[in-house]
Amino acid sequence: MSPINETHDPALRSWVDSANRPDHDFPIQNLPFASFRRRGRDEPWRGGVAIGDAIVDLAALHRVQPFEGVAAQALAAAAQPQLNELMALGPAHWSALRLALSRALREGSAQRAVVEPCLVDQAEAEYGLPARIGDYTDFYTGIHHATAVGKLFRPDNPLLPNYKWVPIGYHGRSSSIGVSGQTFRRPLGQTKGPQDAAPRFGPCQRLDYELELGVFVGPGNALGEPIPMAEAEDHVFGVVLLNDWSARDIQAWEYQPLGPFLAKNFATTISPWIVTLEALAPFRVPFAHPEGDPQPLPYLDSPDNRARGGIDLTLEVWLQTEAMRRAGEPPHRLMASNFADAYWTVAQMVAHHTVNGCNLQAGDLLGTGTQSGPGEDQGGSLLELTCGGQKPVRLPNGETRTFLQDGDTVLLRAYAAGAGRARIGFGECAGTVLPAPALVV
Amino acid sequence: MSPINETHDPALRSWVDSANRPDHDFPIQNLPFASFRRRGRDEPWRGGVAIGDAIVDLAALHRVQPFEGVAAQALAAAAQPQLNELMALGPAHWSALRLALSRALREGSAQRAVVEPCLVDQAEAEYGLPARIGDYTDFYTGIHHATAVGKLFRPDNPLLPNYKWVPIGYHGRSSSIGVSGQTFRRPLGQTKGPQDAAPRFGPCQRLDYELELGVFVGPGNALGEPIPMAEAEDHVFGVVLLNDWSARDIQAWEYQPLGPFLAKNFATTISPWIVTLEALAPFRVPFAHPEGDPQPLPYLDSPDNRARGGIDLTLEVWLQTEAMRRAGEPPHRLMASNFADAYWTVAQMVAHHTVNGCNLQAGDLLGTGTQSGPGEDQGGSLLELTCGGQKPVRLPNGETRTFLQDGDTVLLRAYAAGAGRARIGFGECAGTVLPAPALVV
């Protein structure tokens, strides 16, 4: 796991003024990566690093060769249209590039004159998927979510017997993953109520979001060679926000016995900026299963994981309806939770995924599952916040929601803060529901 | 759907003599595609077409430019290291290339002198994955498999209520798909018997194969634009054999509520040769759900699908243990079934997969699910053939199997034949189990 080093010093300030605002997502202690280009121009995608309101264009920076050694190698990889090559290099390269960028962007840096011409205004940018995502896996690490959803189906026995032993996961769809700003049509599908004699076909009536983090895999492992816990985080590049859009009515009818399929694979939205694990180092917290719960099996346990396997990271869901948008009203916050409440850590996700020999590849994406908090108002989906559609959520403008309506925009946000540390923000993960297409028969 | 044309004429003979043997998998009426190179040489992968014991090297053929128009465009795409570009072109291109190759390979063809130098002996070749597989989906269309496996868990109610309405599917793992000849280590994992107080960790004890077909997707669809039944087969390039290796004990403990994960994603093996849907045109058969069963919803129905949605294709599983291999004994056939017994067709898999707007991409792979026949001796997995491990299978050399042992090689084979038509074979899909790795903790 990444140690604390000079790049985390909360006293650091950048010559990019906007990065020094105390409430900014992207201070010099963050330095997240994205794939970007300037909107409306015929120019290639390339890697960028956020600093305040600006982006360091890593392709432009690479052309002036400001760094040496492994930092220069990492910069060359980060200048590519997507970040798979950078991800494949591993922690020593990532850390060297972070240190070089941190030093170059600090107040008083001698490299300012070299770096400043490489800045692009974020307001001018559009973002692409930061990596070619070979495989996308979604875990289920939010025990409060698993319990709340389980209660809707099995009031007396909400958690299945495997939950506290197995970091439950399943494979998702890579092709329909989009970056913040994604719009998608309400899915069509089969649904069947418990009283219905036969299923009906039509637009989903119980469309929902799920608040998750997405973990980008760094160097992969060879088929048949599990990654042990002690090395797991060396295989993790960083973290994004992830909205696992879900069609609850389609899911209820289709998911037995092989799991969710069309209920999930119509769209998944991630935030463009990958916050590195190294940037989050000051916010690592001890991890333990509650007393009385089974302790992790040895292949899911390590001293480091117990000491600081968790991440103290606040997660939020915001909603802006079409009416709110037209009236110029800002998004409304629906809930907040913390990733420190997850039942399994990022390292455990990696170790479990590979223990059978399954091979991860650089750029693979691992979803954490919905991160609900312990409180009733901390559900990470509408299914939870509305008790399965029974208790509508009321919005400031008087509108209510049980599930999502056409035109609704859902925004996820996250930040780590406190204890005198610089605030590490994630930017935004926004997605908007469009009407269903005409029925096809 | 592909019509019958001159390329299917059973009277056609090739100037490649081996292709004219009546029992050959690769007569001139077949012309399947693979990605290949010669073993032990430092040369690039490229597309090839099987003809008898030979391969037409499509990169070499492309260099001499023997064809014109769309056939020439298709040949240029097929000369690439993998076949995604060819798959993306669509049926008009595929059909033109097939016709051009058929004419060039016929007895008496004026193009023999141009094509013959482009032949490579199959004995010299090794095969790669025929496409970059973006997403891999596995369906569950074998109703006899679903019933037999369901009986093991729920004797009175083997089929779940959604089975006859929904072409059940789930997402699988792309990274661990290998081509025939693949070896893989027995997976480690958590298992728990019904009487055990806690799970244990160790090598899988109930390792199994599954007999499936794999369907390679041709042109994809845009996100949000479902593919209707009438167009579904225009999005299908062809078919391979697929072995969905399965760890039954890991699966039983992990699969609730999100489906199989580590029980499947350690390895999937496919045959190298993609038999095109056009080659199978003479073997298309009517499709209908049994009388009294629900009829397909309109989005899963079409006149063409009813008239000839099925494929009359014999499927076989063969086993060769390490002891048999050492003794020079040939593989032993464990069972045979027919894809015409599937409960859902290839077109229905495509229409269902996309009805919610999910986007398919050229080179995506769709597994059909295990193809068991109606008879007790027609189980497409050992789980079925041994009644859940209760009745061992006896091999000719006296060995028995409930589940797979280290060193076992499983071979899948398939062919369409009969009614005076040329035999269309699939070649072989072989995979071998290696011992588990040392425990990692």
Side-chain angles (χ1 to χ4, degrees):
Chain A
M1 290 185 183
S2 303
I4 307 282
N5 57 41
E6 66 172 78
T7 66
H8 301 102
D9 182 351
L12 290 183
R13 294 173 57 87
S14 174
W15 49 261
V16 179
D17 284 338
S18 56
N20 302 321
R21 285 207 320 261
D23 63 335
H24 208 295
D25 273 353
F26 306 131
I28 191 168
Q29 293 85 356
N30 192 346
L31 305 177
F33 288 81
S35 169
F36 84 102
R37 63 183 179 188
R38 286 177 299 176
R39 256 194 311 276
R41 307 195 188 202
D42 184 23
E43 59 178 35
W45 297 100
R46 67 270 195 187
V49 159
I51 179 74
D53 296 337
I55 303 170
V56 183
D57 178 339
L58 298 177
L61 192 64
H62 170 58
R63 283 192 290 273
V64 297
Q65 301 274 342
F67 306 144
E68 293 182 348
V70 289
Q73 291 169 24
L75 178 59
Q80 299 299 312
Q82 290 181 301
L83 301 171
N84 298 71
E85 272 188 45
L86 175 67
M87 292 171 177
L89 288 175
H93 283 81
W94 308 333
S95 199
L97 179 56
R98 173 181 167 86
L99 179 60
L101 286 166
S102 173
R103 289 178 176 169
L105 289 164
R106 284 178 206 170
E107 273 185 349
S109 167
Q111 290 185 298
R112 174 172 179 168
V114 173
V115 177
E116 199 158 15
C118 302
L119 293 189
V120 172
D121 198 329
Q122 284 171 27
E124 286 184 60
E126 62 179 349
Y127 300 97
L129 284 175
R132 293 179 305 280
I133 299 168
D135 280 291
Y136 160 48
T137 301
D138 200 16
F139 282 87
Y140 198 50
T141 72
I143 192 168
H144 303 298
H145 170 72
T147 305
V149 172
K151 264 184 195 156
L152 295 175
F153 294 98
R154 301 171 301 274
D156 298 332
N157 181 29
L159 268 190
L160 291 168
N162 57 13
Y163 188 87
K164 292 184 176 179
W165 296 98
V166 179
I168 297 289
Y170 70 108
H171 289 292
R173 182 84 195 171
S174 294
S175 70
S176 53
I177 300 173
V179 79
S180 184
Q182 184 177 31
T183 61
F184 63 90
R185 291 172 165 185
R186 176 181 298 273
L188 300 171
Q190 285 190 40
T191 57
K192 183 178 166 300
Q195 313 306 331
D196 300 340
R200 60 176 200 87
F201 177 78
C204 164
Q205 301 296 318
R206 290 162 71 92
L207 184 62
D208 205 352
Y209 57 79
E210 290 194 334
L211 168 63
E212 303 196 16
L213 290 173
V215 175
F216 272 101
V217 171
N221 59 308
L223 194 67
E225 297 186 6
I227 298 173
M229 277 295 285
E231 296 165 23
E233 286 205 3
D234 293 345
H235 295 264
V236 174
F237 178 68
V239 184
V240 293
L241 289 157
L242 185 152
N243 188 338
D244 178 24
W245 304 98
S246 298
R248 302 297 179 192
D249 43 359
I250 294 172
Q251 186 173 350
W253 173 231
E254 77 168 1
Y255 91 106
Q256 290 282 15
L258 300 180
F261 180 49
L262 299 191
K264 302 277 194 176
N265 66 9
F266 54 92
T268 303
T269 311
I270 62 174
S271 54
W273 292 107
I274 307 178
V275 175
T276 63
L277 275 197
E278 188 170 3
L280 293 167
F283 302 95
R284 302 307 296 264
V285 292
F287 168 81
H289 283 177
E291 211 166 322
D293 277 8
Q295 290 310 296
L297 291 177
Y299 83 93
L300 293 172
D301 194 18
S302 78
D304 234 23
N305 195 58
R306 273 173 268 145
R308 51 196 211 102
I311 308 177
D312 176 9
L313 186 60
T314 300
L315 311 173
E316 300 175 337
V317 178
W318 300 65
L319 176 66
Q320 187 182 45
T321 68
E322 192 166 359
M324 291 163 72
R325 197 161 50 247
R326 286 189 181 166
E329 294 162 6
H332 171 69
R333 199 180 80 168
L334 292 177
M335 60 75 74
S337 64
N338 195 301
F339 185 54
D341 286 328
Y343 199 79
W344 300 102
T345 65
V346 169
Q348 287 170 326
M349 289 162 56
V350 169
H352 183 66
H353 202 319
T354 61
V355 74
N356 69 341
C358 181
N359 56 329
L360 301 181
Q361 297 179 316
D364 284 351
L365 183 64
L366 314 179
T368 59
T370 308
Q371 299 300 312
S372 303
E376 275 188 20
D377 58 349
Q378 290 190 288
S381 66
L382 282 173
L383 184 71
E384 293 160 83
L385 287 182
T386 68
C387 298
Q390 300 300 306
K391 298 183 191 170
V393 168
R394 183 166 295 275
L395 303 174
N397 68 351
E399 287 186 284
T400 61
R401 286 291 181 276
T402 48
F403 292 97
L404 294 172
Q405 302 287 322
D406 294 347
D408 284 355
T409 296
V410 177
L411 305 101
L412 311 183
R413 292 175 183 159
Y415 61 91
R421 293 292 180 186
R423 184 178 184 280
I424 302 296
F426 276 63
E428 199 168 83
C429 175
T432 301
V433 182
L434 304 179
L439 301 189
V440 287
V441 289
Chain B
M1 291 185 181
S2 303
I4 307 282
N5 57 40
E6 68 172 79
T7 67
H8 302 102
D9 181 351
L12 290 183
R13 292 173 59 86
S14 172
W15 49 260
V16 180
D17 285 339
S18 57
N20 302 320
R21 286 205 322 260
D23 64 336
H24 208 294
D25 272 354
F26 306 130
I28 190 168
Q29 294 84 357
N30 192 346
L31 304 178
F33 289 81
S35 169
F36 84 102
R37 63 183 180 187
R38 286 178 300 177
R39 256 195 311 275
R41 305 194 190 203
D42 184 23
E43 59 178 34
W45 297 100
R46 65 272 195 187
V49 159
I51 179 75
D53 296 335
I55 302 170
V56 183
D57 178 340
L58 297 178
L61 192 65
H62 170 58
R63 284 192 290 272
V64 298
Q65 301 274 342
F67 306 146
E68 294 181 346
V70 289
Q73 291 169 22
L75 178 59
Q80 300 299 312
Q82 290 182 301
L83 300 171
N84 298 70
E85 273 188 46
L86 175 66
M87 293 171 176
L89 288 175
H93 282 82
W94 308 333
S95 199
L97 179 56
R98 174 181 166 85
L99 179 61
L101 286 166
S102 173
R103 287 177 176 169
L105 289 164
R106 283 177 205 170
E107 272 185 350
S109 167
Q111 290 184 298
R112 175 173 179 167
V114 173
V115 177
E116 199 157 19
C118 302
L119 293 188
V120 172
D121 197 330
Q122 283 171 26
E124 287 183 60
E126 63 179 347
Y127 300 97
L129 284 176
R132 293 179 305 281
I133 299 167
D135 281 291
Y136 160 47
T137 302
D138 200 14
F139 282 88
Y140 199 50
T141 72
I143 191 169
H144 303 299
H145 169 72
T147 306
V149 172
K151 263 184 194 155
L152 295 174
F153 294 96
R154 301 171 300 274
D156 298 331
N157 181 29
L159 268 191
L160 290 169
N162 57 12
Y163 188 87
K164 292 184 177 179
W165 295 99
V166 179
I168 297 289
Y170 69 109
H171 289 291
R173 182 86 195 169
S174 294
S175 69
S176 55
I177 300 173
V179 79
S180 184
Q182 184 177 30
T183 61
F184 63 90
R185 291 173 164 183
R186 176 181 298 273
L188 300 170
Q190 284 190 43
T191 57
K192 181 177 168 302
Q195 312 307 328
D196 300 340
R200 60 177 201 85
F201 178 78
C204 165
Q205 300 296 318
R206 290 162 71 92
L207 184 62
D208 205 352
Y209 57 80
E210 289 194 335
L211 168 62
E212 303 196 16
L213 290 174
V215 175
F216 271 101
V217 171
N221 58 308
L223 193 67
E225 297 187 6
I227 298 173
M229 278 295 285
E231 297 165 23
E233 286 205 2
D234 293 345
H235 294 266
V236 174
F237 178 68
V239 184
V240 293
L241 288 157
L242 186 151
N243 188 338
D244 178 26
W245 305 96
S246 297
R248 302 297 181 193
D249 43 1
I250 295 172
Q251 186 172 352
W253 173 230
E254 77 169 359
Y255 90 105
Q256 291 281 17
L258 299 180
F261 179 50
L262 299 189
K264 301 278 194 174
N265 66 9
F266 54 91
T268 303
T269 310
I270 62 173
S271 54
W273 292 107
I274 307 177
V275 176
T276 62
L277 274 197
E278 188 171 4
L280 294 167
F283 302 95
R284 302 306 296 262
V285 292
F287 167 82
H289 284 176
E291 211 166 323
D293 277 7
Q295 290 311 296
L297 291 177
Y299 84 94
L300 294 171
D301 195 18
S302 77
D304 233 23
N305 195 58
R306 275 173 264 146
R308 54 198 209 100
I311 308 177
D312 176 10
L313 185 60
T314 300
L315 311 173
E316 299 175 338
V317 178
W318 300 66
L319 177 66
Q320 188 182 44
T321 68
E322 191 165 1
M324 291 162 74
R325 197 160 51 245
R326 286 186 180 168
E329 293 162 6
H332 171 68
R333 198 180 80 167
L334 292 177
M335 61 75 75
S337 64
N338 195 300
F339 185 54
D341 287 328
Y343 199 79
W344 300 103
T345 65
V346 170
Q348 287 170 326
M349 288 161 58
V350 169
H352 183 66
H353 203 318
T354 61
V355 74
N356 69 340
C358 181
N359 55 330
L360 301 181
Q361 297 180 315
D364 283 351
L365 183 63
L366 314 179
T368 60
T370 308
Q371 299 300 313
S372 303
E376 274 189 18
D377 58 350
Q378 290 190 286
S381 66
L382 282 172
L383 184 72
E384 293 159 84
L385 286 181
T386 69
C387 299
Q390 300 301 304
K391 298 182 188 169
V393 168
R394 184 164 294 276
L395 303 175
N397 69 351
E399 287 185 284
T400 60
R401 285 291 181 276
T402 47
F403 291 96
L404 294 172
Q405 301 287 321
D406 294 346
D408 284 355
T409 296
V410 176
L411 305 100
L412 311 183
R413 291 173 183 161
Y415 60 92
R421 293 292 179 185
R423 184 178 184 281
I424 302 296
F426 276 64
E428 199 169 82
C429 175
T432 301
V433 182
L434 304 179
L439 300 191
V440 285
V441 289

